Amino acid sequence: MLEYLRNASEKPIAKILISILAFSFVGWGVAEWIFGGAVGDNTLLRVGDAEITAQQFNSEKSRELAQMTRTEQRAVYADAAAQNAFNQDVLKTLATQQMALNRANDLGFVVSDSRIAREIREFPEFQINGQFSTFAFDTVLNNSGLSEAQFADFIRNQVLRSMVLGAMSAPIPVSEFALTAAYNARYGTRDIEYATVKYSDFKVGTPSDEQLELFYKQNPQTVPETRSVSYVLVPADLSQPDKYDAAYATAVKIEDDIIAGDTMQDAAKKHSAKYVSVKPFARDAKLSDKVMTDMMVARVFDMDAGLESEMIETKDGFVFVRVEKINPAHTAEFADVKKSLVSDWTKSEQKKQAYVRANELLVDLNQNGKLVGKKSANVSRASGAPTDVLVAAFRNSVNQNSIVAGPDAFYVLAVKGATAPKADKKKMDDLRKELQNMSSVGIQEDYNSFLIREYPTEINQKVYNRLFAK
C-alpha cells in the first residue's frame, strides 16, 4: 500500500471527511494483557455474522476520548453514570458501523487500493508544502501505533460505510403546502378568554379518621420490594498484572470454598477478603457503597434469594454477591401512612369543589356567553397563558369552550379566534431546513431499523460483565 502511494500521481475526485487520525492507545498493553491473554473468548458483540472484540471496543473508546477536551474526559471518569452512558454510546457506534459494513458486503461493494491511496494522499496531515510526504505519513502512523494495513482497513471501512449510508443524508424536498401549513401552525396565534379556579381557594377543614381511611382505600400506597444482600470483595489493581494474578487466584479459592459449602463470611475471613452486609434497599435506591453500583443493583434484583453470583470482575476487584432476603412489595398499613395522607386528602377535596365551580362557570358561559373572572389574551404556542391553557387553546377549535385541568387549578377556556402569522422569509427558510432534516432523520431511522432487523446484535454477557460490571 505504501509503495503504491509513493508511486501514485492521480488527483482525488472526492474526499471523505475523517476528523480523527491519531488514536490514543494509552494503556493498550495492559488492556491486551487483561482481555486478550487472560480470557479465551474475547468477542464482545456479534452483529449478524460479524464479531466485535473487546480490543475493538477499547480502540474505539480511546479514539472518542482523544476527541474530547480534558474537562470532558474528567467529567466522564468522575461520574459513574456519565461513564456508563459514554460506554453505551461507544457500543452503539461500533454496532452501527458494523451493520453498515455488513450491508456493504452483502451488496458486493468493493473499495480498491487505488481509491484508498487517493484518499490518503489528500489528508493534510500527510502533506508538506501541499504535496504528499512519505515522512509525514510514516510519522503519523508510528505515533498513532497503527500499521499501514490497519490504517488502510480503517479508510476502506469508512468508504464502505459512506457508500451504504451516504444517500441517507441527501436533503429531502419539502412541498410549499407542507411548509406553509407548518409555518401557520407554529407561528399563528389565538385569541382566548379564560378564568382560573384555584384548588387552594376552597376550605375543606380537618379530615376525620374515617374520611382518611376511606380515602386510603381508594388511593392505597405500595411499599416497593427491597432486598438485603452481602458480598465479598477481593481488591485488585487491574493495571498491575502481578497483583491482578494474585487477586484472581484468591478469588478462585474463595469461589471453591463457597461451592464446597462455606458461608461467604467464612470464606472471606479465611482468605483475608472484605465481607460486607448491606441493609435492605429498593431497586431505585442510590447506595453510597462503591461496589453496589446501579449495574450491580440491577444484577441483584435479577437473582433469587439465597443464591450467590458467579465471580464478577469490577474496576475495584473481584466480587461475589448473595441475595440474603427478598421483602416483596406490599400495600402499606393505614396507620403507617396516616399522617402523610392529610395533605393528599385536602387537595383531593379541594379539587372536587374547584371542579364543581368550574362546571358552573362553563354552564354559564355556554348558556349566557358570560365568563366570570375572565382574562383575555392573544397567545402563541409558547407564551401568554399557563402551559396547560396554551396546549388546550391550540388543540381546541375556534368557538369551543372547555375545562382544562392543571396541577393546582382548573381553567375555563373559550377560544375566540385564530390569527395567521405574518410572512417572515428567514423563519420560513429556517423551518424549511428543519423539515428537511426531520424527513432525513425519519428515513435514516427507518433504514437503521431495517439494518437492526437484518443484522441482529447479540452481547456476550461474560465479556460485557468483565468490561462494565462495577
Side-chain angles (χ1 to χ4, degrees):
M1 171 61 66
L2 182 55
E3 185 64 28
Y4 185 93
L5 279 170
R6 287 171 175 150
N7 297 328
S9 59
E10 297 179 64
K11 297 295 183 181
I13 297 175
K15 290 181 61 179
I16 291 180
L17 301 178
I18 304 173
S19 59
I20 299 301
L21 296 174
F23 290 77
S24 172
F25 281 83
V26 176
W28 178 257
V30 174
E32 175 66 21
W33 175 80
I34 294 175
F35 298 120
V39 182
D41 185 4
N42 204 25
T43 301
L44 177 58
L45 290 175
R46 290 181 178 86
V47 183
D49 295 331
E51 296 182 349
I52 296 174
T53 65
Q55 287 96 331
Q56 287 175 279
F57 168 82
N58 280 296
S59 177
E60 179 65 18
K61 181 177 178 180
S62 296
R63 187 186 72 82
E64 295 196 16
L65 284 171
Q67 299 180 58
M68 296 181 175
T69 64
R70 290 187 178 182
T71 300
E72 290 172 334
Q73 291 174 355
R74 282 195 295 269
V76 167
Y77 284 112
D79 181 66
Q83 187 172 137
N84 182 61
F86 174 74
N87 289 334
Q88 297 304 316
D89 287 342
V90 173
L91 284 174
K92 291 176 184 177
T93 297
L94 287 170
T96 301
Q97 290 177 348
Q98 189 59 55
M99 288 177 193
L101 289 178
N102 289 352
R103 189 61 183 163
N105 291 332
D106 287 350
L107 293 174
F109 291 162
V110 175
V111 181
S112 66
D113 286 350
S114 61
R115 170 68 183 274
I116 296 174
R118 289 198 304 269
E119 298 295 339
I120 292 177
R121 289 177 64 85
E122 286 302 303
F123 279 102
E125 291 79 3
F126 300 151
Q127 295 181 2
I128 296 178
N129 297 325
Q131 298 294 321
F132 176 77
S133 167
T134 302
F135 174 76
F137 179 76
D138 291 339
T139 300
V140 172
L141 260 62
N142 288 335
N143 290 340
S144 66
L146 292 173
S147 67
E148 296 172 16
Q150 288 173 327
F151 188 68
D153 285 341
F154 176 76
I155 299 298
R156 178 176 284 107
N157 290 342
Q158 290 281 359
V159 175
L160 286 172
R161 286 193 289 267
S162 73
M163 291 178 174
V164 173
L165 303 176
M168 299 298 106
S169 60
I172 307 299
V174 178
S175 69
E176 291 302 316
F177 172 80
L179 178 62
T180 301
Y183 183 80
N184 290 339
R186 174 171 297 187
Y187 296 108
T189 61
R190 292 212 162 182
D191 297 313
I192 66 170
E193 294 177 351
Y194 68 98
T196 304
V197 183
K198 295 181 179 180
Y199 305 160
S200 59
D201 288 343
F202 298 87
K203 307 301 180 184
V204 295
T206 303
S208 65
D209 289 352
E210 291 76 16
Q211 289 174 312
L212 286 178
E213 193 163 2
L214 177 61
F215 176 76
Y216 186 60
K217 287 180 181 179
Q218 298 170 342
N219 303 275
Q221 295 184 12
T222 300
V223 177
E225 175 187 318
T226 60
R227 298 192 171 201
S228 54
V229 306
S230 59
Y231 68 82
V232 174
L233 170 65
V234 181
D237 188 343
L238 303 187
S239 65
Q240 301 186 35
D242 291 343
K243 292 184 178 180
Y244 176 94
D245 283 341
Y248 180 80
T250 300
V252 169
K253 293 178 182 178
I254 291 176
E255 185 174 42
D256 292 341
D257 289 342
I258 293 174
I259 294 174
D262 285 2
T263 66
M264 289 180 60
Q265 188 171 10
D266 289 342
K269 184 177 181 180
K270 183 185 298 183
H271 298 282
S272 301
K274 183 179 181 180
Y275 174 81
V276 177
S277 179
V278 184
K279 294 181 179 179
F281 58 90
R283 182 185 290 267
D284 59 354
K286 296 295 182 182
L287 303 179
S288 57
D289 191 309
K290 291 183 178 180
V291 171
M292 299 304 297
T293 61
D294 291 344
M295 192 173 295
M296 188 69 78
V297 169
R299 178 190 287 266
V300 163
F301 274 83
D302 285 337
M303 295 173 58
D304 294 327
L307 296 181
E308 299 89 6
S309 70
E310 60 185 9
M311 185 192 305
I312 304 170
E313 184 175 329
T314 73
K315 67 175 184 179
D316 297 312
F318 301 96
V319 175
F320 302 92
V321 62
R322 172 186 170 89
V323 177
E324 300 292 352
K325 184 178 180 182
I326 299 176
N327 304 307
H330 59 279
T331 302
E333 294 294 332
F334 170 71
D336 296 333
V337 296
K338 178 180 175 181
K339 291 183 179 180
S340 65
L341 291 175
V342 175
S343 61
D344 293 338
W345 177 90
T346 299
K347 186 170 184 177
S348 176
E349 293 300 310
Q350 289 176 325
K351 187 174 181 179
K352 292 177 184 178
Q353 295 190 30
Y355 187 71
V356 171
R357 177 56 181 160
N359 268 285
E360 292 173 351
L361 293 177
L362 181 62
V363 169
D364 192 28
L365 175 62
N366 289 334
Q367 294 180 352
N368 305 315
K370 295 181 179 180
L371 181 57
V372 177
K374 71 180 182 182
K375 292 183 179 179
S376 299
N378 178 261
V379 300
S380 69
R381 290 183 177 271
S383 64
T387 301
D388 296 303
V389 174
L390 294 178
V391 173
F394 284 89
R395 181 184 61 221
N396 296 350
S397 58
V398 176
N399 296 323
Q400 180 179 350
N401 303 326
S402 63
I403 294 177
V404 180
D408 300 302
F410 287 109
Y411 304 96
V412 182
L413 171 66
V415 181
K416 293 299 185 180
T419 304
K422 294 181 179 179
D424 185 310
K425 185 178 184 307
K426 184 179 184 306
K427 288 183 178 179
M428 289 283 281
D429 290 342
D430 289 343
L431 184 57
R432 186 190 303 275
K433 292 177 182 178
E434 183 180 334
L435 293 177
Q436 288 177 340
N437 290 337
M438 290 174 61
S439 297
S440 296
V441 168
I443 292 175
Q444 290 170 8
E445 289 178 348
D446 287 344
Y447 193 67
N448 190 50
S449 297
F450 161 75
L451 292 177
I452 291 173
R453 293 192 302 270
E454 193 75 6
Y455 310 106
T457 300
E458 181 183 0
I459 294 178
N460 184 337
Q461 201 62 47
K462 287 187 177 180
V463 177
Y464 180 89
N465 291 339
R466 188 170 70 244
L467 279 173
F468 303 115
K470 298 177 179 179

